[in-house]
């Protein structure tokens, strides 16, 4: 029988043969179309022309995967050049985009890059995303699922993924790049006037391109990493994993503070309710408040339980209760360093849940937290991580007026300089510096006067830090201030 060679402009979902060599095709746009070799049965010319235009349009769109122009990618000959360990590279091989990773002196094929921009939303844990990808973090264990939307910052998504799954912070840059490679989400590839460079990571210093001034005010260079309004969060432990630590600490407190048998049974019931996301019963809060009266050195699992309940059972605690508990364990001198660490994570929770309130009351609530950096060396890194997240989150709020923005910017600079001076470089390759730099970028984007008062000399030193995002964000801040 005669064959039919037909190009199609949308995804084909089903196909069936009909009499007389005709074929009916069901597609993703909800339309069924019949193709036939018999010209007398053809559709009107106008319909055929319209479909031809749709096919041509689809062909043009397939020249790009996300924001990457396929025709501008290098060919397989680029694999003849050596790379750096862990570097990734996309190449064009007979019209197909393939992803390679440089490992042990060789380019190893990772897989084929697909365009997923026009596909339907995917659901993960009850939330719909533009993309859901698999992330292998350990050999022999199932891949973890990661949801990403088109408008997400891959660095923030990667940081939240690391926090949620308690992964090593050193994975941040690798996961962020992996997100961009597999979804097309993230900054556009850098245009550099050098010879071939990796279209994902670039091969030399990034210089933000300028854009024309169309708004009547001073022009601002185009930026890749800010403004960014995505809030970052802290990992919350599972309630069940806190039971043994709470039991141990309960045996160490005095009789007036110790939970009796009835109260302990109620606590175990509370922990089960949190795991099942069932609301607490009347009087349960009294048990939690009793735990929070324990001595500072025994308090950290109680604060973790408070955070877990707050995160899992929205509305259990009022904003005032959360602020009171957080203040008591961060603003008060002499608090045990472990309690301070968890209290700062609670502050990050508060800045994500009550972002505008924290911004409008920044001087009272968040600014005093900077004194927490004067802690033991073992606690310092954790303190700086949480403080950078809190400062980043308040910089995202549209309620930031210029005066408050100036104070937030000064706080971010102060913390940046503290990290640079006190935390060894190998321990600061994660997110604190980049989060703080993005926070400054958010503020100078929103308030033009802050560009004039920002000392670019303080920013310039971060153009040579290890993390690529921090280097490029620093470049962009300087470019904006000089524009």
């Amino acid at each position: 029988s005669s064959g039919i060679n037909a190009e199609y402009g949308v995804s084909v979902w089903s196909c069936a043969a009909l009499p007389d060599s005709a074929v009916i095709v069901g597609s993703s746009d909800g339309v069924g179309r019949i193709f036939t070799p018999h010209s007398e049965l053809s559709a009107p010319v106008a319909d055929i022309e319209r479909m031809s235009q749709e096919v041509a349009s689809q062909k043009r769109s397939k020249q790009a995967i996300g924001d990457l122009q396929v025709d501008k990618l290098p060919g397989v000959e680029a694999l003849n050049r050596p790379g750096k360990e862990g570097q990734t590279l996309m190449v064009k091989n007979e019209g197909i985009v393939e992803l390679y990773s440089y490992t042990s002196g060789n380019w190893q094929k990772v897989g084929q890059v697909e365009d997923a921009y026009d596909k339907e939303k995917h659901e993960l844990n009850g939330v719909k995303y533009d993309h859901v990808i698999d992330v292998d973090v350990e050999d022999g264990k199932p891949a973890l699922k990661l949801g990403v939307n088109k408008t997400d910052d891959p660095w923030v998504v990667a940081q939240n993924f690391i926090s949620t799954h308690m992964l090593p912070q050193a994975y941040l840059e690798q996961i962020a790049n992996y997100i961009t490679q597999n979804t097309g989400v993230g900054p556009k590839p850098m245009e550099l006037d050098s010879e071939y460079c990796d279209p994902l990571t670039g091969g030399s210093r990034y210089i933000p391109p300028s854009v024309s001034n169309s708004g009547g005010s001073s022009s601002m260079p185009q930026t890749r990493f800010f403004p960014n309004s995505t809030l970052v969060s802290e990992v919350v432990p599972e309630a069940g994993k806190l039971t043994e630590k709470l039991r141990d600490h309960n045996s160490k407190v005095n009789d007036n503070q110790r939970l009796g048998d009835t109260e302990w049974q109620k606590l175990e019931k509370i922990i089960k309710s949190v795991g099942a996301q069932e609301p607490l019963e009347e009087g349960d809060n009294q048990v939690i408040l009793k735990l929070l009266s324990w001595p500072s050195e025994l308090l950290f699992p109680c604060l973790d339980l408070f955070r877990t309940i707050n995160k899992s059972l929205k509305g259990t605690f009022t904003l005032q209760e959360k602020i009171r508990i957080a203040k008591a364990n961060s603003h008060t001198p002499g608090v045990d360093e472990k309690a301070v660490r968890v209290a700062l994570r609670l502050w990050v929770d508060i800045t994500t849940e009550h972002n505008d309130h924290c911004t409008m009351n920044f001087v009272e609530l968040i600014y005093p937290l900077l004194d927490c950096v004067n802690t033991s060396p073992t606690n310092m890194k954790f303190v700086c991580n949480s403080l950078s997240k809190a400062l980043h989150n308040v910089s995202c709020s549209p309620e930031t007026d210029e005066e408050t923005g100036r104070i937030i910017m000064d706080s971010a600079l102060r913390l940046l300089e503290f990290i640079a001076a006190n935390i060894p470089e190998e321990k600061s390759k994660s997110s604190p510096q980049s989060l703080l730099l993005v926070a400054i970028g958010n503020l100078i984007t929103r308030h033009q006067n802050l560009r004039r008062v920002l000392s670019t000399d303080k920013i310039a030193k971060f153009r040579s830090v290890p993390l690529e995002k921090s280097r490029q964000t620093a470049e962009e801040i300087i470019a904006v201030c000089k524009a």
Side-chain angles (χ1 to χ4, degrees), residues 185-200:
V185 169
K188 294 182 179 180
M190 295 176 289
E191 295 183 3
L192 300 167
D193 54 355
S194 61
E195 293 185 2
Y196 163 74
C197 64
D198 187 331
L200 290 178

Side-chain angles (χ1 to χ4, degrees), residues 26-92:
S27 52
S28 59
D29 59 359
V31 177
R33 296 177 176 87
I34 297 175
F35 294 88
T36 175
H38 306 296
S39 57
E40 67 273 14
L41 299 177
S42 297
V45 174
D47 291 345
I48 294 175
E49 288 181 351
R50 184 170 63 251
M51 185 169 181
S52 298
Q53 291 172 359
E54 291 174 358
V55 171
S57 175
Q58 183 71 4
K59 282 184 174 180
R60 287 192 296 270
S61 70
K62 287 300 180 183
Q63 296 305 308
I65 295 181
D67 285 327
L68 294 174
Q69 295 299 314
V70 174
D71 56 0
K72 293 184 180 180
L73 293 179
V76 292
E77 65 277 2
L79 301 174
N80 296 326
R81 294 190 274 272
K84 293 184 287 187
E85 188 69 22
Q87 181 183 353
T88 55
L89 173 66
M90 285 194 294
V91 299
K92 181 174 55 179

Side-chain angles (χ1 to χ4, degrees), residues 409-418 440 454 458-459:
M409 186 174 74
D410 290 344
S411 301
L413 281 170
R414 175 181 162 189
L415 185 56
L416 271 170
E417 292 180 326
F418 180 88
I440 293 171
L454 176 62
K458 293 182 178 180
I459 300 297

Side-chain angles (χ1 to χ4, degrees), residues 236-237 239 242 246 267 270 274 280 285 288-289 291-292 299-313 316-326 329 342-343 346-347 349-350 353:
V236 176
L242 300 171
L246 289 167
L267 176 62
I270 290 171
V274 174
L280 301 188
N285 278 17
I288 305 302
L289 293 176
L291 291 176
L292 294 170
L299 198 57
F300 72 90
C302 309
L303 290 169
D304 261 335
L305 179 61
F306 183 89
R307 290 186 58 233
T308 303
I309 294 172
N310 174 62
K311 196 84 168 182
S312 301
L313 306 176
T316 301
F317 306 111
T318 65
L319 171 60
Q320 288 70 28
E321 287 175 320
K322 288 181 271 191
I323 289 176
R324 178 176 61 81
I325 297 300
N329 295 284
V342 183
L346 176 56
W347 276 116
D349 299 340
I350 295 171
E353 297 165 8

Side-chain angles (χ1 to χ4, degrees), residues 146-160:
L146 173 60
V148 188
N149 285 315
K150 298 175 186 177
T151 56
D152 285 343
D153 181 334
W155 292 85
V156 175
V157 173
Q159 179 59 56
N160 288 336

Side-chain angles (χ1 to χ4, degrees), residues 99-113:
L99 178 66
Y100 286 79
S101 176
Y102 196 77
T103 306
S104 302
N106 293 293
W107 288 107
Q108 302 290 333
K109 184 177 177 180
V110 176
Q112 182 176 323
V113 180

